Structure formats: C-alpha cells, structure tokens
Amino acid sequence: MEQNKHVVYILQCRDGSLYTGYTNNLQKRLEAHNAGRGAKYTKGRGPVRIVYHQRFPTKAEAMREEYRIKQLPRSHKQQLMKEAHDDPAVQLSGY
C-alpha cells in the first residue's frame, strides 16, 4: 500500500476564490475539477490550479486536516500557501 497517498489540497479558482478538498489521487482530482466534475463549488470556476497540498499516511488524518483548513479564514489559508511555497521540501510542481 502506497504511503502518504491521502492528500489535502487548496485550489485557486479562476475567480480568485479558494477551495479545499481531499483526495487519494491528486492529478486525477485536478483533472476532474478542471473538467467541471470535481465539486459543485468549482464547477464553472475553472480552470483551477493547485496552490497547496499536504500528504498524510491515513485518510482520517487527512480528513481532520481538511476540516481544520476549511474552518480557517482566507488570510490563514494564504499563510499556509505562502509557507508551503517558501518550503523547498514541498513540491507543487507537476500539478
């Protein structure tokens, strides 16, 4: 079984809004969002781009983090995105 396959991500929509979600296949989920099938919220707001993602060993951990992030104000989400961008260990390229 693949380690850390559970991913929490933040998308930036074409209108500048942010969407937080969970997946176990980030590339496939991004393609679904951009095809208008990913989530009701992102439908019609595409194209979207990944601005943050974090991997977790279990679905339960990822779901807890997704919920936590969804409760944050936009400014805190932007801070998460900035920290991830500034951290060389976080790889957003390819998405």
Side-chain angles (χ1 to χ4, degrees):
M1 184 172 190
E2 185 182 335
Q3 288 288 26
N4 295 331
K5 71 175 188 172
H6 303 282
V7 182
V8 174
Y9 60 92
I10 300 175
L11 302 176
Q12 183 171 25
C13 301
R14 181 184 61 219
D15 64 5
S17 63
L18 300 175
Y19 173 83
T20 303
Y22 159 83
T23 187
N24 61 10
N25 185 328
L26 190 55
Q27 186 62 44
K28 185 176 178 181
R29 188 71 172 149
L30 178 61
E31 290 167 6
H33 281 294
N34 279 320
R37 299 185 322 268
K40 188 175 183 179
Y41 183 83
T42 59
K43 188 174 185 174
R45 286 186 166 92
V48 300
R49 66 185 183 96
I50 296 173
V51 292
Y52 171 85
H53 77 280
Q54 184 176 1
R55 297 182 179 276
F56 294 88
T58 68
K59 183 176 181 179
E61 289 175 272
M63 298 299 285
R64 277 192 298 274
E65 182 65 2
E66 178 194 24
Y67 178 80
R68 186 188 76 80
I69 291 172
K70 285 184 173 187
Q71 306 311 303
L72 296 174
R74 182 181 176 91
S75 61
H76 288 135
K77 291 176 188 176
Q78 290 172 318
Q79 185 61 35
L80 273 178
M81 293 158 35
K82 180 185 181 319
E83 290 168 3
H85 182 267
D86 292 345
D87 184 350
V90 176
Q91 300 293 320
L92 290 177
S93 61
Y95 295 110

